Amino acid sequence: MNSLFPTYQRFPIELVKGIGTRVIDQSGNEYLDFTSGIGVTSFGHGNSRIKAAVLQQLSNIWHTSNLFESSLQEDVAKKLIPDGSYAVYFANSGAEANEAALKLARKATGRDGIVSFQNSFHGRTFGAMTATGQPKIRDGFGSLLPHFTCGAYNDGSRLTELITGETAAVILEIIQGEGGVQPAETAWLLAVAHQAKQTGALLIVDEIQTGIGRTGKKFAYQHSSLEPDIITVAKALGNGLPVGAMLGKKTLVESFGYGSHGSTFGGNPVSLSAASIVLDLLHEPGFLEEVQAKGDYFRAALAQNIAKSPHVETVRGEGLMLGIVMKEPIKTQIRELQKQGLLVLTAGKTKQVVRILPPLTVSYDEIDQAVAILEDTLLSVKIGE
């Protein structure tokens, strides 16, 4: 494929069909997809209800632009925030949602300072990239945006120096996905929120990978008493169709009025037809409780079986966002897992974490199959590059 920029390090697998948790490649090989397209297809591949809604929308109208009213946008916004405490801006991706959040924070506060944290990931556009606490994402692009500061994740010792009267917003992830499936400590989250409130800074919670049910709650921040000023979502919201959203408290509406921001494709009706059903499925009675139960079952099975390996440090995460922390890089093992029919991801600064993101609809039998493959591979394959 010489016609493409080599911006991705691709596996030699082309996935051509998917149903539920399973995908098939160009050679007819079948895999358990425990990547979900990096946390995207949370309701599985080819979900019949989502597919029907998309086909229905395709038979009506594909695009209108945001110069016209959209009852579908209004309906999806209400499903995102049923109590109406936040207003919604629709974008096309997580990076776009975060860009909107950073712009809103600066406009609403009249301040410039943005605080983020080491090993975070917020996107690859200039604002989101500047906020990302990973040098490898930023290197080579020249001068980034000014007034951004990066603090230590889960370290509350210097918050008063970090978040000040010049800070417009603090942006953080409840669980750092690309950073190695690293959960935030609740006490630290609350301390950050307190310092932000004390100084008049806004709290932005990036739920792009953790949101829409991934951790067993609609949003991961709901595992604590945190009250974000701004929430960003994307990935799983469209179950594979491109859509993102920024949710801001109603008190911020006047700061994002006519002409302050916009998107040609944001809130596209085809993407939102998928998002509407995703949220319906998410809100079905008992669904999120079942996600948490599956996550607990999966994590316990991993702890019991994978802990046998001398190469494993720990298993961490929440719900169906789990990470097996290894003692060395695991490129060889990821390829072996693929040969055994299991697709997973890596994460962390040195790619030492097996990141596991199955569809939220995964069955217990499929979890058992994945654990057996992981156990066999992690115990038998030589670790390293």
Side-chain angles (χ1 to χ4, degrees):
M1 294 189 178
N2 295 325
S3 300
L4 305 175
F5 274 105
T7 52
Y8 305 103
Q9 190 174 46
R10 301 178 190 263
F11 295 113
I13 298 170
E14 182 174 357
L15 303 176
V16 297
K17 187 174 182 180
I19 184 70
T21 308
R22 299 180 183 273
V23 290
I24 298 171
D25 72 12
Q26 77 278 19
S27 301
N29 299 307
E30 184 176 292
Y31 308 85
L32 282 170
D33 182 9
F34 276 44
T35 75
S36 299
I38 315 183
V40 170
T41 52
S42 287
F43 287 92
H45 298 277
N47 182 282
S48 59
R49 286 180 59 180
I50 298 172
K51 181 179 179 180
V54 170
L55 289 174
Q56 180 61 48
Q57 186 61 52
L58 285 170
S59 70
N60 292 331
I61 194 166
W62 297 9
H63 177 74
T64 64
S65 94
N66 285 304
L67 298 177
F68 298 93
E69 294 286 352
S70 174
S71 58
L72 180 55
Q73 287 187 11
E74 188 71 22
D75 290 345
V76 175
K78 288 178 179 177
K79 290 178 181 180
L80 271 169
I81 305 293
D83 66 3
S85 56
Y86 291 76
V88 178
Y89 169 83
F90 287 111
N92 302 290
S93 68
E96 285 189 20
N98 281 336
E99 290 287 344
L102 296 172
K103 287 180 67 175
L104 173 58
R106 282 187 165 181
K107 199 165 190 293
T109 63
R111 304 174 181 179
D112 291 331
I114 303 293
V115 172
S116 61
F117 296 95
Q118 293 168 4
N119 297 318
S120 61
F121 183 83
H122 299 293
R124 295 178 184 271
T125 49
F126 257 88
M129 179 173 64
T130 306
T132 291
Q134 299 187 46
K136 67 180 181 181
I137 302 297
R138 306 191 302 262
D139 288 349
F141 293 102
S143 299
L144 300 180
L145 300 183
H147 310 296
F148 279 67
T149 306
C150 194
Y153 193 71
N154 274 337
D155 181 355
S157 64
R158 300 185 63 186
L159 291 180
T160 56
E161 300 171 38
L162 195 64
I163 306 167
T164 70
E166 297 179 356
T167 304
V170 181
I171 183 168
L172 57 81
E173 300 158 277
I174 305 300
I175 302 176
Q176 291 184 334
E178 303 297 328
V181 194
Q182 181 64 59
E185 298 169 1
T186 299
W188 178 77
L189 285 172
L190 296 178
V192 171
H194 175 76
Q195 181 63 16
K197 189 171 184 179
Q198 289 293 106
T199 58
L202 299 179
L203 178 63
I204 303 170
V205 174
D206 179 338
E207 292 269 6
I208 289 159
Q209 193 163 143
T210 53
I212 317 300
R214 174 57 56 185
T215 68
K217 298 283 188 181
K218 186 175 185 178
F219 302 116
Y221 80 82
Q222 293 172 329
H223 289 282
S224 69
S225 59
L226 211 63
E227 293 185 12
D229 297 293
I230 300 172
I231 307 161
T232 55
V233 296
K235 286 191 180 291
L237 182 57
N239 205 66
L241 276 75
V243 59
M246 178 198 69
L247 291 52
K249 282 188 174 179
K250 284 291 185 70
T251 54
L252 300 172
V253 166
E254 62 182 23
S255 297
F256 234 38
Y258 172 72
S260 58
H261 200 47
S263 170
T264 297
F265 296 108
N268 173 270
V270 179
S271 292
L272 285 194
S273 68
S276 180
I277 303 302
V278 164
L279 293 169
D280 286 346
L281 294 169
L282 190 75
H283 291 145
E284 287 187 344
F287 180 79
L288 287 172
E289 289 79 3
E290 182 68 10
V291 171
Q292 188 63 64
K294 290 175 183 175
D296 292 343
Y297 176 86
F298 199 170
R299 185 170 178 175
L302 289 173
Q304 179 178 347
N305 294 280
I306 308 304
K308 299 174 185 176
S309 172
H311 303 299
V312 175
E313 288 189 0
T314 189
V315 176
R316 64 193 182 201
E318 187 71 50
L320 289 171
M321 183 175 182
L322 299 172
I324 304 171
V325 184
M326 309 296 291
K327 294 180 180 179
E328 299 176 51
I330 49 172
K331 192 173 183 178
T332 300
Q333 290 182 309
I334 296 300
R335 290 173 178 167
E336 182 61 26
L337 288 167
Q338 292 170 356
K339 292 177 184 177
Q340 299 302 319
L342 178 65
L343 304 182
V344 294
L345 303 164
T346 59
K349 184 165 57 176
T350 55
K351 303 296 184 184
Q352 289 179 217
V353 179
V354 181
R355 182 170 32 151
I356 302 170
L357 301 167
L360 306 185
T361 52
V362 65
S363 69
Y364 285 97
D365 181 58
E366 289 167 335
I367 291 173
D368 289 341
Q369 292 175 48
V371 171
I373 295 171
L374 285 162
E375 181 180 11
D376 179 65
T377 302
L378 296 184
L379 291 178
S380 63
V381 176
K382 185 179 179 180
I383 205 162
E385 291 293 326

